[in-house]
mmCIF file of all heavy atoms in Angstrom:
data_model
loop_
_atom_site.group_PDB
_atom_site.id
_atom_site.type_symbol
_atom_site.label_atom_id
_atom_site.label_comp_id
_atom_site.label_asym_id
_atom_site.label_seq_id
_atom_site.Cartn_x
_atom_site.Cartn_y
_atom_site.Cartn_z
ATOM 1 N N GLY A 115 115.551 186.752 102.259
ATOM 2 C CA GLY A 115 116.475 187.662 101.601
ATOM 3 C C GLY A 115 117.932 187.281 101.752
ATOM 4 O O GLY A 115 118.812 188.089 101.451
ATOM 5 N N LEU A 116 118.208 186.051 102.193
ATOM 6 C CA LEU A 116 119.588 185.590 102.342
ATOM 7 C C LEU A 116 120.014 184.778 101.123
ATOM 8 O O LEU A 116 119.222 183.993 100.583
ATOM 9 C CB LEU A 116 119.751 184.730 103.590
ATOM 10 C CG LEU A 116 119.793 185.447 104.943
ATOM 11 C CD1 LEU A 116 119.891 184.415 106.060
ATOM 12 C CD2 LEU A 116 120.963 186.405 105.012
ATOM 13 N N LEU A 117 121.248 184.954 100.728
ATOM 14 C CA LEU A 117 121.806 184.181 99.630
ATOM 15 C C LEU A 117 122.454 182.904 100.153
ATOM 16 O O LEU A 117 122.916 182.867 101.298
ATOM 17 C CB LEU A 117 122.863 185.009 98.899
ATOM 18 C CG LEU A 117 122.345 186.219 98.118
ATOM 19 C CD1 LEU A 117 123.495 187.133 97.748
ATOM 20 C CD2 LEU A 117 121.587 185.764 96.885
ATOM 21 N N PRO A 118 122.521 181.860 99.346
ATOM 22 C CA PRO A 118 123.322 180.694 99.735
ATOM 23 C C PRO A 118 124.785 181.101 99.855
ATOM 24 O O PRO A 118 125.190 182.164 99.393
ATOM 25 C CB PRO A 118 123.121 179.709 98.570
ATOM 26 C CG PRO A 118 121.966 180.228 97.786
ATOM 27 C CD PRO A 118 121.925 181.709 98.011
ATOM 28 N N ARG A 119 125.585 180.246 100.458
ATOM 29 C CA ARG A 119 127.025 180.494 100.480
ATOM 30 C C ARG A 119 127.554 180.514 99.046
ATOM 31 O O ARG A 119 127.052 179.814 98.173
ATOM 32 C CB ARG A 119 127.729 179.427 101.321
ATOM 33 C CG ARG A 119 127.404 179.542 102.808
ATOM 34 C CD ARG A 119 127.936 178.390 103.614
ATOM 35 N NE ARG A 119 127.635 178.562 105.028
ATOM 36 C CZ ARG A 119 126.458 178.243 105.595
ATOM 37 N NH1 ARG A 119 125.488 177.732 104.841
ATOM 38 N NH2 ARG A 119 126.259 178.435 106.876
ATOM 39 N N TRP A 120 128.578 181.315 98.836
ATOM 40 C CA TRP A 120 129.086 181.567 97.487
ATOM 41 C C TRP A 120 129.367 180.285 96.705
ATOM 42 O O TRP A 120 129.031 180.179 95.519
ATOM 43 C CB TRP A 120 130.359 182.413 97.591
ATOM 44 C CG TRP A 120 131.105 182.533 96.308
ATOM 45 C CD1 TRP A 120 130.805 183.322 95.234
ATOM 46 C CD2 TRP A 120 132.278 181.796 95.950
ATOM 47 N NE1 TRP A 120 131.714 183.135 94.226
ATOM 48 C CE2 TRP A 120 132.630 182.201 94.639
ATOM 49 C CE3 TRP A 120 133.064 180.851 96.601
ATOM 50 C CZ2 TRP A 120 133.744 181.682 93.972
ATOM 51 C CZ3 TRP A 120 134.168 180.332 95.943
ATOM 52 C CH2 TRP A 120 134.498 180.748 94.647
ATOM 53 N N SER A 121 129.960 179.279 97.345
ATOM 54 C CA SER A 121 130.315 178.044 96.640
ATOM 55 C C SER A 121 129.089 177.285 96.153
ATOM 56 O O SER A 121 129.192 176.444 95.247
ATOM 57 C CB SER A 121 131.166 177.140 97.536
ATOM 58 O OG SER A 121 130.453 176.761 98.697
ATOM 59 N N GLU A 122 127.911 177.580 96.728
ATOM 60 C CA GLU A 122 126.687 176.908 96.334
ATOM 61 C C GLU A 122 126.016 177.581 95.134
ATOM 62 O O GLU A 122 125.001 177.085 94.637
ATOM 63 C CB GLU A 122 125.724 176.858 97.524
ATOM 64 C CG GLU A 122 126.268 176.046 98.690
ATOM 65 C CD GLU A 122 125.463 176.234 99.974
ATOM 66 O OE1 GLU A 122 124.364 176.838 99.906
ATOM 67 O OE2 GLU A 122 125.930 175.788 101.040
ATOM 68 N N TRP A 123 126.597 178.685 94.665
ATOM 69 C CA TRP A 123 126.051 179.349 93.480
ATOM 70 C C TRP A 123 126.432 178.616 92.202
ATOM 71 O O TRP A 123 125.821 178.817 91.160
ATOM 72 C CB TRP A 123 126.579 180.779 93.366
ATOM 73 C CG TRP A 123 126.277 181.696 94.502
ATOM 74 C CD1 TRP A 123 125.608 181.412 95.657
ATOM 75 C CD2 TRP A 123 126.655 183.072 94.598
ATOM 76 N NE1 TRP A 123 125.550 182.515 96.468
ATOM 77 C CE2 TRP A 123 126.190 183.551 95.839
ATOM 78 C CE3 TRP A 123 127.362 183.932 93.748
ATOM 79 C CZ2 TRP A 123 126.400 184.867 96.256
ATOM 80 C CZ3 TRP A 123 127.560 185.241 94.156
ATOM 81 C CH2 TRP A 123 127.073 185.705 95.406
ATOM 82 N N TRP A 124 127.501 177.806 92.267
ATOM 83 C CA TRP A 124 128.118 177.256 91.066
ATOM 84 C C TRP A 124 128.217 175.736 91.145
ATOM 85 O O TRP A 124 127.989 175.136 92.204
ATOM 86 C CB TRP A 124 129.521 177.849 90.885
ATOM 87 C CG TRP A 124 129.617 179.301 91.221
ATOM 88 C CD1 TRP A 124 130.198 179.855 92.329
ATOM 89 C CD2 TRP A 124 129.083 180.399 90.464
ATOM 90 N NE1 TRP A 124 130.068 181.227 92.296
ATOM 91 C CE2 TRP A 124 129.396 181.593 91.171
ATOM 92 C CE3 TRP A 124 128.393 180.491 89.256
ATOM 93 C CZ2 TRP A 124 129.028 182.850 90.714
ATOM 94 C CZ3 TRP A 124 128.025 181.741 88.790
ATOM 95 C CH2 TRP A 124 128.337 182.904 89.520
ATOM 96 N N VAL A 125 128.598 175.114 90.052
ATOM 97 C CA VAL A 125 128.839 173.669 90.021
ATOM 98 C C VAL A 125 130.056 173.357 90.892
ATOM 99 O O VAL A 125 131.070 174.055 90.839
ATOM 100 C CB VAL A 125 129.091 173.205 88.569
ATOM 101 C CG1 VAL A 125 129.427 171.717 88.537
ATOM 102 C CG2 VAL A 125 127.870 173.505 87.696
ATOM 103 N N GLY A 126 129.947 172.310 91.706
ATOM 104 C CA GLY A 126 130.996 171.984 92.666
ATOM 105 C C GLY A 126 132.365 171.792 92.046
ATOM 106 O O GLY A 126 133.383 172.240 92.586
ATOM 107 N N SER A 127 132.417 171.137 90.890
ATOM 108 C CA SER A 127 133.708 170.894 90.253
ATOM 109 C C SER A 127 134.346 172.189 89.760
ATOM 110 O O SER A 127 135.573 172.323 89.772
ATOM 111 C CB SER A 127 133.544 169.922 89.083
ATOM 112 O OG SER A 127 132.613 170.429 88.129
ATOM 113 N N ASP A 128 133.524 173.157 89.350
ATOM 114 C CA ASP A 128 134.049 174.456 88.910
ATOM 115 C C ASP A 128 134.645 175.221 90.094
ATOM 116 O O ASP A 128 135.673 175.887 89.962
ATOM 117 C CB ASP A 128 132.948 175.295 88.264
ATOM 118 C CG ASP A 128 132.491 174.727 86.926
ATOM 119 O OD1 ASP A 128 133.229 173.905 86.354
ATOM 120 O OD2 ASP A 128 131.396 175.107 86.469
ATOM 121 N N VAL A 129 134.006 175.126 91.243
ATOM 122 C CA VAL A 129 134.521 175.785 92.450
ATOM 123 C C VAL A 129 135.834 175.135 92.875
ATOM 124 O O VAL A 129 136.819 175.825 93.169
ATOM 125 C CB VAL A 129 133.487 175.723 93.588
ATOM 126 C CG1 VAL A 129 134.089 176.258 94.887
ATOM 127 C CG2 VAL A 129 132.238 176.517 93.222
ATOM 128 N N ALA A 130 135.871 173.815 92.905
ATOM 129 C CA ALA A 130 137.077 173.100 93.336
ATOM 130 C C ALA A 130 138.271 173.438 92.455
ATOM 131 O O ALA A 130 139.414 173.491 92.930
ATOM 132 C CB ALA A 130 136.822 171.595 93.330
ATOM 133 N N ALA A 131 138.021 173.726 91.184
ATOM 134 C CA ALA A 131 139.109 174.022 90.246
ATOM 135 C C ALA A 131 139.791 175.357 90.544
ATOM 136 O O ALA A 131 140.881 175.622 90.033
ATOM 137 C CB ALA A 131 138.573 174.026 88.820
ATOM 138 N N LEU A 132 139.184 176.188 91.379
ATOM 139 C CA LEU A 132 139.768 177.480 91.731
ATOM 140 C C LEU A 132 140.858 177.355 92.791
ATOM 141 O O LEU A 132 141.598 178.319 93.024
ATOM 142 C CB LEU A 132 138.682 178.425 92.259
ATOM 143 C CG LEU A 132 137.561 178.810 91.292
ATOM 144 C CD1 LEU A 132 136.498 179.602 92.036
ATOM 145 C CD2 LEU A 132 138.112 179.602 90.117
ATOM 146 N N PHE A 133 140.985 176.187 93.401
ATOM 147 C CA PHE A 133 141.884 176.014 94.537
ATOM 148 C C PHE A 133 143.051 175.096 94.174
ATOM 149 O O PHE A 133 142.899 174.171 93.379
ATOM 150 C CB PHE A 133 141.125 175.443 95.727
ATOM 151 C CG PHE A 133 140.034 176.344 96.230
ATOM 152 C CD1 PHE A 133 138.748 176.259 95.702
ATOM 153 C CD2 PHE A 133 140.288 177.293 97.204
ATOM 154 C CE1 PHE A 133 137.738 177.104 96.157
ATOM 155 C CE2 PHE A 133 139.294 178.135 97.656
ATOM 156 C CZ PHE A 133 138.014 178.039 97.130
ATOM 157 N N PRO A 134 144.219 175.319 94.785
ATOM 158 C CA PRO A 134 145.389 174.507 94.454
ATOM 159 C C PRO A 134 145.319 173.079 94.989
ATOM 160 O O PRO A 134 145.975 172.178 94.457
ATOM 161 C CB PRO A 134 146.552 175.275 95.080
ATOM 162 C CG PRO A 134 145.933 176.035 96.218
ATOM 163 C CD PRO A 134 144.567 176.413 95.714
ATOM 164 N N ASP A 135 144.539 172.874 96.056
ATOM 165 C CA ASP A 135 144.433 171.535 96.635
ATOM 166 C C ASP A 135 143.181 171.468 97.504
ATOM 167 O O ASP A 135 142.550 172.487 97.811
ATOM 168 C CB ASP A 135 145.682 171.187 97.461
ATOM 169 C CG ASP A 135 146.010 172.261 98.497
ATOM 170 O OD1 ASP A 135 145.181 172.483 99.403
ATOM 171 O OD2 ASP A 135 147.074 172.899 98.378
ATOM 172 N N ARG A 136 142.842 170.265 97.890
ATOM 173 C CA ARG A 136 141.606 170.056 98.664
ATOM 174 C C ARG A 136 141.666 170.720 100.025
ATOM 175 O O ARG A 136 140.682 171.285 100.505
ATOM 176 C CB ARG A 136 141.362 168.547 98.817
ATOM 177 C CG ARG A 136 140.084 168.206 99.553
ATOM 178 C CD ARG A 136 139.834 166.709 99.550
ATOM 179 N NE ARG A 136 138.618 166.376 100.288
ATOM 180 C CZ ARG A 136 138.145 165.129 100.413
ATOM 181 N NH1 ARG A 136 138.783 164.116 99.823
ATOM 182 N NH2 ARG A 136 137.042 164.908 101.101
ATOM 183 N N GLU A 137 142.820 170.660 100.663
ATOM 184 C CA GLU A 137 142.959 171.251 101.995
ATOM 185 C C GLU A 137 142.683 172.757 101.962
ATOM 186 O O GLU A 137 141.958 173.285 102.818
ATOM 187 C CB GLU A 137 144.362 170.994 102.535
ATOM 188 C CG GLU A 137 144.597 171.571 103.928
ATOM 189 C CD GLU A 137 146.009 171.346 104.412
ATOM 190 O OE1 GLU A 137 146.785 170.660 103.723
ATOM 191 O OE2 GLU A 137 146.346 171.867 105.486
#
Side-chain angles (χ1 to χ4, degrees):
L116 284 177
L117 292 166
R119 291 172 178 82
W120 170 77
S121 62
E122 297 168 11
W123 300 2
W124 321 106
V125 177
S127 58
D128 291 342
V129 173
L132 297 173
F133 297 89
D135 52 63
R136 182 174 179 178
E137 180 182 355

